[in-house]
Amino acid sequence: MKKNDRIKGIGKTALRLAVILICAFLINTVILLVSKKNPIEIYSILLKGAFGNLYNVARSLRWATPLIFTALAFSVSARCGVFNIGADGQLYMGAFAAAWVGFTFTGLPRVVLIPLAILAAMLAGMLWSMLAGWISIKFKANIIVITLMLNYIAILFTEYLVRYPFYVPGTLGEAGSTEYVAEAARLTVLIPRTNVTTGLIIGIVAAVLLWLFNRHTVLGYETEIIGANERFSTFMGLDVRKKQMIVFAMTGMIAGLGGAVEILGNYGRFMVNFASGLGFDGIVVSLLANGNPIGIIFAALFMGAMTSGSIAVEMFGGVPKAMTGILLGVIIMIITVKFVPDFQKRKKSKKKENKPC
């Protein structure tokens, strides 16, 4: 791709993001006025709560970090035309695998233990995602249903592991937690006395690598072709099913990596229901950025800022935290206006292609 085309693509994504946010805030302003609240005051508190000082910025970055991974995971599959919503389950499986390595191999040095835990998490997420892909391709099952059900299975399975085979007597076990990982397995804190760790750097690097993969590799180009027209890809000689399984593997690896970052960076142990909904929030972030890996970084930061700012709005603005949820709901609605018709067109196109001549 030429440099000018890349600049145009980035500019188009930025413009789309700006238009969506402006429309969402305008609609939300009307809702605030109807509720007899001062929009300027509320947005001022929201902004201060997100970026008012170093610790508020850190809180925004902390909540943005896991969203980068789940959004990247969804963007990989969506680019290939697969609506994989299984990042939650893959993240949980990866998180438990990372925790297990962290509290089992406590004698290993830091330079070995952290990479080992991360690799275990990526492997667990990959296998869980590939299971969904295999079921979908082998039995022609609906991928949305398959990944949704596997999310519940993964969450409940990891809870079973915590409460039975890996139960820790005492407070930790009763709270639904494994034992703590070794100190050598913990990620480095970037901002003292906050939860911003090197996991943020890992997320940014992952986004850049995925952007390079999409733009500068043959497989990245092939996945885009498959997503645009599966039948044409087959005529070109591409092994569509094999490429889709590779995409499922990549999706799971990225989501599993996000689970490792959460456990090794913030919690230090696996906790039951520690991150429910991150996968679905990641879908919103990915759609907001139009699947652009670089745009995902900024969209995740926005979502993290909304989470951080909503706490301040509830405390000092006299507005329930749910008001921020309404704003995000409006954003989702605006995204859906464009995304759903495109997705439906793609589905209809595939049905026509599969009909016998």
Side-chain angles (χ1 to χ4, degrees):
M1 183 179 286
K2 295 180 180 179
K3 185 177 180 180
N4 289 338
D5 292 335
R6 286 199 296 265
I7 293 174
K8 282 183 180 179
I10 294 172
K12 189 176 179 181
T13 299
L15 179 61
R16 178 180 181 275
L17 183 60
V19 170
I20 290 173
L21 295 183
I22 290 171
C23 291
F25 274 100
L26 286 175
I27 295 172
N28 200 63
T29 298
V30 173
I31 296 173
L32 287 172
L33 289 172
V34 171
S35 304
K36 297 180 179 180
K37 299 293 182 181
N38 186 338
I40 297 177
E41 180 185 353
I42 297 302
Y43 290 146
S44 176
I45 295 172
L46 182 68
L47 189 62
K48 288 179 181 177
F51 304 108
N53 56 50
L54 179 62
Y55 295 104
N56 288 349
V57 171
R59 190 167 56 197
S60 297
L61 293 174
R62 180 268 175 272
W63 289 114
T65 301
L67 294 178
I68 292 175
F69 293 101
T70 53
L72 289 175
F74 177 78
S75 72
V76 170
S77 59
R79 180 181 172 86
C80 195
V82 179
F83 201 82
N84 183 347
I85 59 173
D88 255 349
Q90 296 147 26
L91 181 141
Y92 268 76
M93 296 299 285
F96 188 88
W100 177 78
V101 170
F103 65 67
T104 301
F105 302 100
T106 55
L108 294 176
R110 183 182 186 82
V111 293
V112 175
L113 188 55
I114 291 179
L116 184 62
I118 288 175
L119 286 174
M122 293 174 71
L123 178 62
M126 180 188 74
L127 292 176
W128 198 250
S129 181
M130 290 182 73
L131 173 62
W134 179 78
I135 294 173
S136 175
I137 293 171
K138 178 71 175 178
F139 302 102
K140 296 184 176 13
N142 188 301
I143 189 60
I144 297 177
V145 175
I146 295 300
T147 49
L148 184 62
M149 291 300 101
L150 284 177
N151 281 346
Y152 287 112
I153 293 172
I155 292 170
L156 293 173
F157 176 65
T158 52
E159 181 175 355
Y160 162 77
L161 292 176
V162 170
R163 298 195 184 280
Y164 292 96
F166 295 94
Y167 177 77
V168 181
T171 306
L172 284 178
E174 294 303 317
S177 167
T178 64
E179 58 184 296
Y180 283 94
V181 302
E183 190 61 33
R186 300 299 300 270
L187 298 179
T188 303
V189 174
L190 297 178
I191 302 176
R193 298 189 298 279
T194 72
N195 288 325
V196 180
T197 68
T198 47
L200 176 62
I201 297 176
I202 294 173
I204 293 173
V205 170
V208 173
L209 289 177
L210 183 58
W211 183 83
L212 292 173
F213 169 82
N214 289 341
R215 299 297 178 189
H216 299 287
T217 67
V218 174
L219 183 58
Y221 176 72
E222 288 174 344
T223 57
E224 185 176 19
I225 295 299
I226 292 171
N229 193 314
E230 191 173 307
R231 190 180 186 188
F232 176 71
S233 302
T234 303
F235 286 156
M236 285 179 62
L238 297 179
D239 189 337
V240 173
R241 301 309 175 205
K242 180 180 178 181
K243 306 296 182 185
Q244 287 178 338
M245 284 301 294
I246 293 174
V247 166
F248 275 106
M250 291 178 62
T251 298
M253 289 172 67
I254 296 171
L257 176 59
V261 165
E262 278 293 278
I263 295 304
L264 305 181
N266 295 297
Y267 296 101
R269 64 194 190 280
F270 183 90
M271 300 171 60
V272 171
N273 295 321
F274 76 97
S276 181
L278 278 178
F280 294 101
D281 289 341
I283 293 175
V284 177
V285 171
S286 179
L287 296 179
L288 189 59
N290 202 27
N292 186 305
I294 304 301
I296 281 172
I297 297 173
F298 297 99
L301 178 59
F302 169 76
M303 290 285 282
M306 290 297 99
T307 302
S308 178
S310 65
I311 298 172
V313 167
E314 188 171 35
M315 291 176 64
F316 306 111
V319 176
K321 191 177 178 181
M323 184 58 70
T324 307
I326 293 174
L327 175 59
L328 296 179
V330 172
I331 292 172
I332 295 171
M333 180 183 68
I334 295 172
I335 295 172
T336 304
V337 168
K338 181 182 185 303
F339 177 76
V340 169
D342 289 349
F343 186 67
Q344 291 298 332
K345 284 179 182 177
R346 183 176 292 178
K347 285 178 65 178
K348 287 180 181 179
S349 176
K350 285 185 178 181
K351 286 181 179 179
K352 289 179 180 179
E353 290 168 2
N354 291 330
K355 286 182 180 180
C357 298

